[in-house]
Every structure is written in C-alpha cells, then in structure tokens.
Amino acid sequence: AFGATLSPGGSSAVWTRVSFTATSSTVSLRHSQVAAGAASALPGGADLVYPAFLDETTLIASKATSGEAVTLPAAGGATSGILGSPVQASDFTVSPDRGTLAWSSDTTPPGSTTPPPSTSTLRDASFSVSGGGLTLGTIHDLSTTLNNVSPAFSADGATLSFVHNDGGAGLGDIWSAPADGSGTAAVTTATPIDELAVAVVTVDTTAPAAVPTINPAVLNGSSATVSYVLPTTDPDLSGVLVERQGTPARTFYVPAPIASFVDTGLTVGSTYTYVIKAVDRSGNASGPTSRRLTALRVAPSFASPTSGTTTRAPFPVVFGRGDPASALFTVDYSTNSGAFAHWVIAKPGASRTFGAPSTGAFTTSSVVGRTYRFKVQATDAFGNKTAVVTTAGATVPTDQTRAIYSTGAVTSASTDRWLGTATRLKPVAGATARVSLPGYRVQVIGERCPTCGIVDVYSGSTRIGSYDSVASRRLARQVLFTYTFTTKATRTITLRNRGTSRRSDVILDGFATWN
C-alpha cells in the first residue's frame, strides 16, 4: 500500500493497493472509515493510483495505465477525465484551505523506452468542485526542469515544497516555489542530504474558535439553506466542516468567507442535526456548534379572498342578529388544498386561532356602523405559513330606526330581522325614508316579498338609482341596493316608494356604509 490520503474531516482514508502475481501486478484503490478500521475495495477504483481528497465527497486520482487524471466519488463510482491523456499526472496534493490542487505532470509518454530520469513538471491551479466534476483555474508551471515529484503545501498554502530529482535515486534536493506562480523555484537552505519525499512539519496546532451562531434554516421542501456566523479571531481560518446527522447522513466542507450552504436530499418530516466545526489551514478543528431542524414541505398557499377562486369568494362577512354592542358576524374562507393545522384570523385590535376544520371566525365586540377588514393566514402541520391575505371591507349595518320616515311608516318586530325590527313605509307613491350616512359606499338592507315594490334612491336631490324588491317568497335581511361614490363624505340618502300597483310594500331593515 502507498499514497494514503485522509478526508478533510479526518473520518476516512483512501490509498493505493498493489497486488502481485507470478507474472503481473495490478493496482486499485481501497478505502476505510478511520474509526471503524475495516478496509474494502473502492468501487470504480481499479487501475487508479495517487489518490487525494478534493473535498469530503470527491477524489482525484491517476490512471496507472495512461496517467490520465480523473475524478470519482469518494464512496466510489464512475470516473471522469479532467486533464486529458496522456499527461502522466501523479502525486496529487490539496492545499490546507482546499482551494489549490498541485500535481506532478510527467512529459514522458506511457511505454517510452527513454531511461530515467524523465522530465516532470510541477504544476498547481485553483479549483472548485460541483456535482463531482472538477473545474481548474489558471495552471501554474512552478518547475519545468528535471523530475519534480512529491509536492507538499506549507501550512498557510502560500508555498509548495517538492523533490527536485537531478539524476536518479539519491540525487534529489528539496526545493520550494510560491504556489501562485509569482516566483522562481529554488533549493531550500535546510537540505543536508538528498531526499525522496517532502513533509511539512512546522504546523499550527491551535484550534480555531468555534462557530458562535447557526441561524434558523430557510426551508423549502427537501432542501434547506443554513447560514452561520464565522469566528473572527483566527487569521488562518479555512472554512467549516459540516456534519449532517440524520438519514441520510452527510459530511461536507464549506470554504471561508462563505457563511451558508444549501443542503438537499432531505426527507419531509424527518429531523436533522447540523454539527459545524471551524477549521484552519493546518487542519485544526474547533469544538462543535449544532442546530436541529425538521424538513418541511413547501409552504402552502390559498386563494386571495378577492380572486374569485374560493368556494365562498370573496370572504363574505355575514352579520347576525343581536344587540348593537355585541353584533355577531362570521368570515368564511376556503383553501386551494387541505392539510392545514390552524388559521389565524385577525381583525383590528384582536386575533383568534382556529383549528383546521374551521371555516369561520366571529367576534362579539364589533360596533354598529364601523367597517372591518379581516386578515387570514394558514399554517400547516410542519409550521409553514402562507402569505397573509386580507378580506374586502365589510360594515356592521346600522339599524333602520336611524332613518326619518314620512307619515304612515310602521315598525314591527321579528326574530329574523337585523337587531329584531324592520320598518314598512306607507304603501303609497312618494312615501320616504331619509338617513344621513358618512363614507364612500352605501347599502340598503331590507326584505323581499311577492308584494314588495320598486324604490328610487337619491343622494341629496340627485337620483343615483333604483331597486326592485319583489320576490316569489319572503326573504329577510337582504342587500337590496349598493352604490359606491368617488369620494368619502357624509350624505343624505332618501328612499322614495314608487307605489307600484299591487307591489307597493317597502320594508327596510338597516343601512351599511363603508368609511
């Protein structure tokens, strides 16, 4: 075995295994969880050597037969070529901040009979990983002469040290070069003998401060956006390691200064714990900071009360009978779909929560003559809330006794009338009821019946319309007439009975005005 590499979180290892027979040898990758210790063949790892973790879920390696650089899932799977073939890529290593990849690129073609030493160029480039694929930035050739192998990054990632082989075994010196390609490679001053490999030994061992805060997650069905606050006391902070505990579990790395991530593959209704550790460029990890969340289904929605798609659109407000100081009314509403845990109905100065089966809300503290608008919001069983929608305005009607009637009007009581009474105009042409109402919209409430007739309506001396209150049977507390003005003002409304033959009854029960 050779070329072992640890995952960024230190939980798993991958290495190259060489198997010999009497006539041949084969290479393949094996992996193991560090804590468990059991090793197994990495699926898809045949013919691969020189592995390195790009991040917690993606490996880079080299094909032994061609030298082609490939990526593959850390758990094993199909490979994807990235550097072309043949390049004889080997000795992959990743900077402590997981932002730069270095490798040795042998210019000797596979199968060449040219005797060693071959010429290997030391290269590095910034990189990013998405969906298991590798994207490289500008490639720097740090050393292009002789055989450059075994690269290792300094703790801060700024310098790359490597073996500069000038003729064969025992003839290598340790050189170094700026990782950003800004300088010339040079032999180090601390090389007492020829070397074969490089290791960085002056490493920071102080762990960074813990992540102070994980913010509430923004949930959207099977995905969640989790944000957090990075510690500010560590100049060599690299990023954070995130462990998602739950089914399925997941571990991944987020580089600084990014302070959020989108996690996918969640199961609606399942609870997950996110454990976040800050890590520095030397691989030191802070203590854990954790937060729990339950994956939620996508937030529900329901129709706007003015859209016309609700079963009782647009949220009619029904006024009941009773004393003016405790007028009862109900707001009806419906949804586009079910599965709601409760509703919140809010009117000016008060709110009330109802269970899912409820389709109405009421109040006993309304004031006769006042206009009310209701706000409705639904919440499902997982805590998702709909947008708040607002009903159209509705006014608690004033009683018909507020009007002044011409001679001959008769007021009588009945249990199905608004506030218990209604007034019948004298059944002759010209009989009137006059009432002063503030606001911008007026409604006349009364009865329909087989003998009920036509009424002309005036604002001041201007006729604004008429209505016919005839019906095949008696109907109490009906909205007989509605008119909307362009401005808000106090107006005198006059109702005049036409006295139609055989249909001269006019029965008034109340007035509503929007203000």
Side-chain angles (χ1 to χ4, degrees), residues 291-319:
R291 190 178 188 100
R292 289 167 59 87
L293 65 86
T294 299
L296 308 182
R297 62 182 53 140
V298 177
S301 63
F302 65 103
S304 163
T306 58
S307 69
T309 61
T310 60
T311 58
R312 299 179 183 85
F315 287 178
V317 179
V318 181
F319 297 98

Side-chain angles (χ1 to χ4, degrees), residues 112-156:
S112 172
T113 59
T114 303
S118 61
T119 300
S120 295
T121 299
L122 186 70
R123 293 173 170 169
D124 74 359
S126 61
F127 74 93
S128 62
V129 179
S130 177
L134 177 66
T135 301
L136 292 175
T138 302
I139 296 177
H140 304 128
D141 286 346
L142 304 183
S143 185
T144 58
T145 59
L146 300 181
N147 190 16
N148 302 286
V149 294
S150 301
F153 280 96
S154 61
D156 61 4

Side-chain angles (χ1 to χ4, degrees), residues 214-220 223-227 274 291-293 296:
I214 302 177
N215 301 317
V218 177
L219 303 159
N220 184 21
S223 67
T225 301
V226 181
S227 62
Y274 290 89
R291 190 178 188 100
R292 289 167 59 87
L293 65 86
L296 308 182

Side-chain angles (χ1 to χ4, degrees), residues 368-465:
V368 168
R370 182 171 296 175
T371 300
Y372 291 89
R373 290 173 177 82
F374 289 79
K375 296 180 179 180
V376 185
Q377 184 178 54
T379 305
D380 71 10
F382 294 103
N384 296 299
K385 295 182 183 299
T386 68
V388 176
V389 295
T390 304
T391 70
T395 300
V396 181
T398 60
D399 196 32
Q400 89 286 350
T401 55
R402 179 171 176 175
I404 299 174
Y405 296 89
S406 60
T407 303
V410 177
T411 299
S412 59
S414 176
T415 57
D416 61 357
R417 289 170 172 170
W418 171 244
L419 301 183
T421 64
T423 299
R424 178 176 178 268
L425 271 64
K426 187 175 181 178
V428 296
T432 61
R434 184 176 290 108
V435 62
S436 179
L437 297 172
Y440 62 90
R441 187 182 184 193
V442 64
Q443 284 185 330
V444 178
I445 300 168
E447 294 185 9
R448 297 185 183 275
C449 64
T451 59
C452 290
I454 300 173
V455 177
D456 291 312
V457 184
Y458 295 82
S459 173
S461 60
T462 302
R463 182 179 177 276
I464 59 175

Side-chain angles (χ1 to χ4, degrees), residues 448-510:
R448 297 185 183 275
C449 64
T451 59
C452 290
I454 300 173
V455 177
D456 291 312
V457 184
Y458 295 82
S459 173
S461 60
T462 302
R463 182 179 177 276
I464 59 175
S466 64
Y467 66 87
D468 191 341
S469 56
V470 69
S472 60
R473 61 185 177 87
R474 177 180 175 272
L475 300 171
R477 294 170 56 224
Q478 301 294 297
V479 177
L480 303 173
F481 178 79
T482 301
Y483 189 84
T484 302
F485 297 94
T486 58
T487 59
K488 181 178 179 180
T490 298
R491 296 175 175 87
T492 298
I493 304 298
T494 301
L495 307 179
R496 187 182 301 274
N497 189 352
R498 285 193 186 180
T500 306
S501 176
R502 299 181 184 178
R503 292 201 297 112
S504 58
D505 285 328
V506 174
I507 303 173
L508 301 178
D509 198 9

Side-chain angles (χ1 to χ4, degrees), residues 211 214 226-228 240-243 261 274-278 286-290:
V211 171
I214 302 177
V226 181
S227 62
Y228 46 89
V240 300
L241 289 175
V242 181
E243 178 187 0
F261 58 88
Y274 290 89
V275 179
I276 299 181
K277 299 179 181 179
S286 73
T289 303
S290 63

